[in-house]
Amino acid sequence: MGTISSKLNNAMRKAMKHSGVSVLSTAFTVLALSSLWVPQTAQATQSQYSPNFKGTDIDEFINIVGKILKKTMIIDPQVRGKVNVRSYELLTEEQYYHFFLNVLEVYGFAVIDMGNNRLKVIKAKDAKSSPTPVVGDEAPGEGDEMVTRVVQVKNVSVRELAPLLRQLSDQSGSGHVVHYDPSNVIMLVGAAATVNRLVEIINRVDRAGDQKVEIIRLEYASSSEIVRIVESIYKGTGKKDQPQFLIPKIVADDRTNSVIVSGEPKAREKVIGLIKRLDAELETTGNTKVYYLKYAKADEVVKVLTGVSDSLAKDNKGGTAKNTGGRSSKKRDYSIQAHPDSNSLVINAEPDMMRSLEQIIRQLDVRRQQVLVEAIIVEVFESDGINLGIQWGSEEAGFTQFNNGVTPLSQVAGAAYNGRGKETTTLVEGIGDDGKAVFTPKTTKEPDDYTALAAVLSGMTGFATGVVKDGWGAVIQAIRSDTRSNILATPSITTLDNEEASMLVGSEIPILTGSAASSNNSNPFQTVDRKEVGIKLKVTPQINEGTAVQLLIEQEVSSVSGATGVDVAINKRSIKTTVLAEDGGTVVIGGLIDEDVQESVQKVPLLGDLPWIGHLFRSTGTAKRKTNLMVFIRPKIIRDSDTLLGVSQRKYNYIRAEQIKRDEEGISLMPFTDHPVLPEWDESLALPPKFEEYMEGQVEDKSADNAEKAGQE
């Protein structure tokens, strides 16, 4: 006990030295305290203090308290000032500690308990970012202790509660309020007394109201229609002026034809009473409604609704009073008609059937997505051929003849022989001098006519030469043919989901399909059909879940290859398949790589096999054909009008760029003629000016014209 007294005396002397307290008052204080330090039991009683500081430097005040409380004090350099405080009652060490915290809080400072009997004194505004201890309901702290507390809010949104709490907290000092939306918690930092007061406010505010949910099953009315009526009533009665918790929430369940109501009891009772009064049976067994469709076609929807109505009527007819709501089963009449001009449906049916049909109409009458299908068709065709033939003949021995790519010698010789001029001798009857008949020979010579020979020679291609000497003749013909073609087509087509679209880029050619002779075979009757030739594309897209598109594709590329003995020949390559492609992805749906080499030899037996000399007795033809064909498809889903507008603008600008390029190149032999060019793409609609603006413009134009005339005069 003497040790405590000596320590107190030393502390009081220092306080007296700094504060200027008289020796007499200090002595009285010491005597008053000394009179209380009397041992009462075997254990020492708790010490009591009566602090009295006047004009004491705050650093000295903190050090004196630290010595009394046996704690290490860490003082921030920014802690400056003097303390004037006095207590008229004796304080225990715990009370003295809280007295110390109260004094520092008044002077704008805070104490942070760092543990291990260490206290850190800092400015109050820096306490919110310091490591203050985190407390809970078990040990919430008291007084001006700096604490951090996390409060879980269950029934109120922390986003709305936090601004109210900040008004009750010293935000400019040591207090701080932060909310965290994902966990719906509030974090409080500050003096324990202030934090505990805020926690008490949160607990009183965070109370769940009577938000029970009630389900009202409707018997006659439609749930969605009832919800629409009730919501329109609340909108017209100043919904914004009412507190949120007094406004009931109403949701329609079309599947069970029920209305779900939640909210405060009085608000629920009011809404439920109104719903029950509206759910009354109609005077007639049916009602008539008109539904204006936005996207679907009325004629197609009628087919679906008729089938569903037949099923509903059949089920009700075979039901019992139990499964029909206690009402007896009867024949259910209904009528569903389409009005194509307004694209609307006129339905007359009983209320429950009407509700089912309404739900089906809402699900069918939705905006359908579109698909842009772009195809790339690439066909490269190469054909090489060479023919070499030697034919000879003799007037006496015979001749050779080949026709695999060369003109037969017999045709050339026959046409040449028939083209020679001929002499014809005829006897002309006359009367001689003696009066008797005299026959005089007369020779007529016809000129050469090589028309037939020219027709034969016109059919010969390549190099051809002939030799005729001493009754022997020879014809040599050599030809080489090369064919190259490169077809690149990029057809594109846009169609609705699950709608077939087709396109043809080509022509129609006549095909003879039959003929019938007349009675005298003078005017035969022929039937002709027309065949589409070109690039044909037929596609039916189906948009699947996600970004996949299923495509039913029919692709055909055809062309006229030439005439035959019967009719024309048509080259045709077609593909019919179903593929699944990603949105914007390119897939190959077909390909053909064909290479054909043919070699034909016509020769005289034995003689044509002789080396070197055998070439004089044979004709050789070689043909090589190679075809490469690839078809690529790329679908793109058009989900909104902006995407469609972008695609249209890109295609439009491409054509316009091609026209500008042609216009810059000019027209050959017509230098002053311009190519037609599309105008610039302009998606904005220029509205006409108002009448007032138009009249003002007219007045300004007239004034400008008058001023110009006056200047000219």
Side-chain angles (χ1 to χ4, degrees):
M1 189 64 63
T3 304
I4 297 174
S5 177
S6 62
K7 291 181 179 180
L8 180 60
N9 291 334
N10 293 333
M12 296 302 294
R13 289 192 190 97
K14 293 181 180 180
M16 178 188 67
K17 179 180 179 181
H18 292 279
S19 61
V21 181
S22 64
V23 177
L24 183 60
S25 62
T26 305
F28 281 124
T29 303
V30 173
L31 291 175
L33 294 174
S34 300
S35 63
L36 298 175
W37 293 332
V38 178
Q40 299 177 359
T41 60
Q43 297 180 353
T45 59
Q46 189 175 10
S47 302
Q48 293 182 334
Y49 309 92
S50 178
N52 184 7
F53 297 92
K54 181 179 181 181
T56 305
D57 190 78
I58 195 168
D59 290 345
E60 187 66 24
F61 170 70
I62 295 173
N63 291 329
I64 292 173
V65 174
K67 291 179 181 179
I68 294 175
L69 300 179
K70 300 180 182 62
K71 293 185 181 292
T72 301
M73 296 294 184
I74 303 173
I75 305 174
D76 189 285
Q78 299 180 359
V79 178
R80 294 287 185 270
K82 294 184 180 296
V83 177
N84 291 295
V85 64
R86 181 178 180 179
S87 175
Y88 292 96
E89 62 178 345
L90 298 177
L91 305 176
T92 62
E93 288 188 5
E94 183 178 357
Q95 293 174 339
Y96 199 95
Y97 174 67
H98 287 287
F99 168 79
F100 169 66
L101 297 178
N102 298 145
V103 173
L104 292 181
E105 196 273 336
V106 170
Y107 283 91
F109 304 107
V111 177
I112 307 299
D113 190 353
M114 305 299 295
N116 296 327
N117 286 331
R118 292 178 299 164
L119 299 178
K120 183 169 67 173
V121 183
I122 60 176
K123 283 191 173 183
K125 64 180 181 179
D126 299 331
K128 62 185 69 175
S129 59
S130 300
T132 57
V134 181
V135 299
D137 294 335
E138 297 80 8
E142 60 179 340
D144 288 327
E145 291 182 276
M146 295 301 301
V147 296
T148 300
R149 190 163 181 178
V150 180
V151 182
Q152 177 72 48
V153 182
K154 299 179 180 179
N155 302 297
V156 182
S157 173
V158 294
R159 184 188 296 272
E160 300 177 358
L161 183 59
L164 302 177
L165 298 178
R166 292 191 183 100
Q167 298 179 12
L168 304 177
S169 176
D170 184 14
Q171 294 292 111
S172 61
S174 60
H176 196 51
V177 179
V178 181
H179 66 278
Y180 183 61
D181 288 337
S183 301
N184 203 47
V185 298
I186 291 181
M187 292 169 281
L188 307 172
V189 180
T194 304
V195 171
N196 293 337
R197 182 170 68 97
L198 296 179
V199 171
E200 180 64 22
I201 294 174
I202 293 174
N203 292 334
R204 295 196 178 190
V205 174
D206 186 29
R207 294 181 179 179
D210 186 9
Q211 297 286 336
K212 292 184 179 179
V213 177
E214 295 191 28
I215 301 176
I216 301 93
R217 290 186 175 272
L218 303 180
E219 185 176 1
Y220 304 102
S222 171
S223 59
S224 58
E225 187 69 16
I226 290 294
V227 169
R228 185 188 64 81
I229 295 173
V230 175
E231 287 183 346
S232 63
I233 292 175
Y234 273 89
K235 288 180 181 179
T237 56
K239 181 178 179 181
K240 296 182 179 179
D241 299 334
Q242 296 182 1
Q244 190 66 26
F245 70 94
L246 293 179
I247 301 176
K249 296 181 179 179
I250 311 169
V251 180
D253 182 13
D254 293 331
R255 185 180 63 85
T256 60
N257 195 37
S258 304
V259 178
I260 304 172
V261 183
S262 66
E264 292 295 320
K266 294 295 184 182
R268 290 201 312 269
E269 292 177 3
K270 183 178 179 181
V271 173
I272 292 174
L274 178 60
I275 292 175
K276 290 182 178 179
R277 282 189 293 171
L278 292 175
D279 186 28
E281 186 176 4
L282 298 177
E283 296 180 359
T284 58
T285 58
N287 57 351
T288 303
K289 290 185 179 181
V290 178
Y291 296 93
Y292 293 95
L293 302 180
K294 300 178 180 178
Y295 305 103
K297 292 183 179 180
D299 295 335
E300 297 179 358
V301 176
V302 165
K303 300 177 183 178
V304 179
L305 297 182
T306 302
V308 174
S309 301
D310 291 340
S311 177
L312 293 176
K314 184 182 299 183
D315 292 343
N316 182 266
K317 185 177 179 180
T320 61
K322 182 178 180 180
N323 57 29
T324 56
R327 292 172 292 176
S328 60
S329 300
K330 60 181 180 180
K331 183 179 179 181
R332 311 183 70 183
D333 296 329
Y334 66 90
S335 174
I336 304 174
Q337 301 294 331
H339 187 249
D341 295 340
S342 61
N343 195 35
S344 59
L345 301 175
V346 181
I347 303 178
N348 180 275
E350 295 182 3
D352 56 346
M353 182 182 291
M354 183 72 75
R355 290 192 296 267
S356 300
L357 298 180
E358 287 178 353
Q359 183 177 2
I360 296 174
I361 293 173
R362 283 194 298 269
Q363 296 179 2
L364 292 179
D365 189 26
V366 295
R367 180 188 178 97
R368 298 170 62 184
Q369 298 179 358
Q370 301 182 85
V371 179
L372 170 65
V373 181
E374 297 176 308
I376 302 176
I377 305 169
V378 183
E379 182 182 24
V380 179
F381 176 76
E382 298 179 3
S383 176
D384 297 333
I386 185 171
N387 294 291
L388 176 62
I390 301 177
Q391 303 175 84
W392 57 269
S394 173
E395 293 180 341
E396 300 178 356
F399 61 92
T400 61
Q401 177 172 313
F402 309 107
N403 57 4
N404 60 334
V406 297
T407 303
L409 178 61
S410 60
Q411 294 184 9
V412 179
Y417 178 79
N418 293 330
R420 294 181 303 171
K422 300 179 180 179
E423 293 183 357
T424 305
T425 303
T426 59
L427 296 177
V428 179
E429 183 178 1
I431 301 175
D433 296 337
D434 55 0
K436 295 182 179 179
V438 178
F439 293 93
T440 305
K442 183 179 180 182
T443 302
T444 304
K445 185 176 182 180
E446 297 179 1
D448 298 337
D449 184 7
Y450 295 104
T451 303
L453 179 61
V456 174
L457 295 178
S458 64
M460 300 179 66
T461 56
F463 172 79
T465 184
V467 178
V468 178
K469 187 176 181 181
D470 298 335
W472 289 84
V475 176
I476 302 174
Q477 184 177 359
I479 180 174
R480 180 183 180 90
S481 61
D482 296 330
T483 303
R484 300 287 186 272
S485 65
N486 184 7
I487 300 175
L488 176 62
T490 57
S492 62
I493 191 169
T494 304
T495 181
L496 288 174
D497 183 25
N498 283 319
E499 288 289 342
E500 181 184 287
S502 61
M503 181 181 63
L504 170 64
V505 180
S507 58
E508 292 185 349
I509 61 173
I511 303 293
L512 183 63
T513 58
S515 61
S518 60
S519 58
N520 55 1
N521 294 330
S522 60
N523 187 16
F525 176 77
Q526 295 180 340
T527 58
V528 178
D529 191 11
R530 295 190 175 274
K531 179 72 174 178
E532 295 178 347
V533 177
I535 298 174
K536 296 199 305 186
L537 175 64
K538 185 182 293 184
V539 60
T540 304
Q542 177 182 336
I543 302 175
N544 296 339
E545 184 70 22
T547 59
V549 181
Q550 179 177 317
L551 300 171
L552 176 60
I553 302 170
E554 294 184 26
Q555 176 70 51
E556 180 180 312
V557 179
S558 58
S559 61
V560 178
S561 62
T564 63
V566 178
D567 214 323
V568 295
I570 298 176
N571 296 325
K572 180 179 179 181
R573 292 163 296 280
S574 63
I575 298 172
K576 183 177 181 180
T577 182
T578 302
V579 297
L580 188 65
E582 290 295 324
D583 180 18
T586 303
V587 296
V588 56
I589 63 170
L592 172 65
I593 300 178
D594 181 24
E595 187 170 356
D596 181 20
V597 178
Q598 296 181 357
E599 184 177 0
S600 62
V601 178
Q602 293 182 349
K603 58 185 177 180
V604 178
L606 299 179
L607 296 178
D609 296 328
L610 297 176
W612 301 106
I613 302 176
H615 290 287
L616 301 175
F617 299 96
R618 64 172 177 247
S619 176
T620 304
T622 303
K624 179 181 179 182
R625 293 182 301 175
K626 185 177 182 180
T627 303
N628 295 331
L629 174 64
M630 288 289 175
V631 180
F632 302 90
I633 292 291
R634 181 178 67 181
K636 181 176 179 57
I637 301 176
I638 301 177
R639 305 184 185 275
D640 49 31
S641 58
D642 293 338
T643 305
L644 180 60
L645 185 63
V647 172
S648 303
Q649 182 177 0
R650 187 172 65 252
K651 298 286 186 182
Y652 185 92
N653 290 335
Y654 172 76
I655 297 298
R656 186 171 184 274
E658 289 292 329
Q659 291 181 339
I660 293 176
K661 180 181 177 182
R662 300 293 184 187
D663 185 57
E664 292 176 353
E665 294 176 353
I667 303 176
S668 179
L669 303 179
M670 301 177 68
F672 301 104
T673 303
D674 296 332
H675 269 283
V677 178
L678 291 173
E680 291 187 4
W681 176 273
D682 186 10
E683 60 187 51
S684 62
L685 178 61
L687 296 177
K690 296 181 179 179
F691 177 76
E692 294 79 4
E693 297 176 354
Y694 175 77
M695 295 304 298
E696 291 177 0
Q698 293 291 328
V699 172
E700 293 177 358
D701 293 342
K702 187 175 182 180
S703 301
D705 294 340
N706 295 333
E708 184 177 357
K709 291 180 180 179
Q712 292 177 357
E713 294 177 355

